[in-house]
Each structure stands twice: as structure tokens, then as C-alpha cells.
Amino acid sequence: QVQLVESGGGLVQAGGSLRLSCAASGSIISINHMGWYRQAPGKQRELVATITTGGSTNYADSVKGRFTISRDNAKNTVYLQMNSLKPEDTAVYYCNAEGRRWPGRSFGAWGQGTQVTVSS
């Protein structure tokens, strides 16, 4: 099995910054895509940013220029640096990873979520 553990959420004032981390562990052979999604109250879960093993990134339009996704392949960890935070960024942020695990099966896993609250 593969587990994802997130950290780094919290309460911050508008204009502030936070850094989220997500570490994957378990019987991992390789991880292809890692990413961050978020879900605000009463809304559907939405993509925030993704990154491939090679470092190709994709961002939601709403966070471009403010958020930066990165990963440490050796540590199976993905990060989300969030700057210039806005109240509308308030949500539960979820980490996602897709890849292959022993004995050669594909996997898709989600973290438990971490709350980010931005006050105005």
C-alpha cells in the first residue's frame, strides 16, 4: 500500500505565505504524477497544480504566478509554495500521487487533507 502524509497547513493573513509538504511512503516502485488539489466548503474538489517526474508542471489559472509546485524524487515528496494568499484560497488541500507499486501494480493515492485558511 501507499500512504501520503501532508503537513504545513494553517491560518495566515491575506498576502501571506504557506508551504505544504506531502511525503509518500510504502511499497513504491515509481511515482509518475504528484499534485495538489483543494476543496472549499460547498464546492467540488479542484486541481491546484501537478508535477511529473521530469519536472513538467501544470497550474490552475487562479494560482499561476502565486503558487509553485516542486518535488524531491529521492524522498517521494511534493511541495506547494503558496505566496500572496487570498481569502478565496481557503480550502482543504489534498495531495495526490499516481505511479507503480510492488509487485508491479499501478496505484493512485490521496492524502488526508490539510486545512488552509486565509483571513482578510
Side-chain angles (χ1 to χ4, degrees):
Q1 300 298 325
V2 176
Q3 299 82 37
L4 303 181
V5 177
E6 300 138 338
S7 60
L11 173 64
V12 65
Q13 288 188 334
S17 299
L18 283 174
R19 188 189 193 213
L20 305 182
S21 299
C22 172
S25 63
S27 53
I28 298 169
I29 296 175
S30 62
I31 301 179
N32 299 327
H33 286 79
M34 299 190 81
W36 291 94
Y37 294 73
R38 66 187 181 187
Q39 187 167 17
K43 295 187 177 181
Q44 291 187 331
R45 189 174 297 188
E46 63 177 5
L47 179 147
V48 176
T50 62
I51 186 168
T52 67
T53 305
S56 296
T57 59
N58 180 48
Y59 294 93
D61 288 342
S62 59
V63 307
K64 283 181 180 177
R66 300 188 298 121
F67 291 10
T68 302
I69 189 171
S70 61
R71 64 187 281 179
D72 184 331
N73 292 328
K75 296 181 178 179
N76 288 331
T77 299
V78 63
Y79 307 95
L80 186 68
Q81 178 66 44
M82 305 185 293
N83 299 328
S84 302
L85 283 160
K86 304 175 181 180
E88 51 263 44
D89 294 318
T90 295
V92 177
Y93 283 69
Y94 295 92
C95 174
N96 172 262
E98 297 178 358
R100 296 188 66 79
R101 63 179 179 84
W102 294 102
R105 298 178 179 177
S106 62
F107 77 86
W110 290 91
Q112 79 284 359
T114 185
Q115 178 70 46
V116 171
T117 302
V118 184
S119 62
S120 58

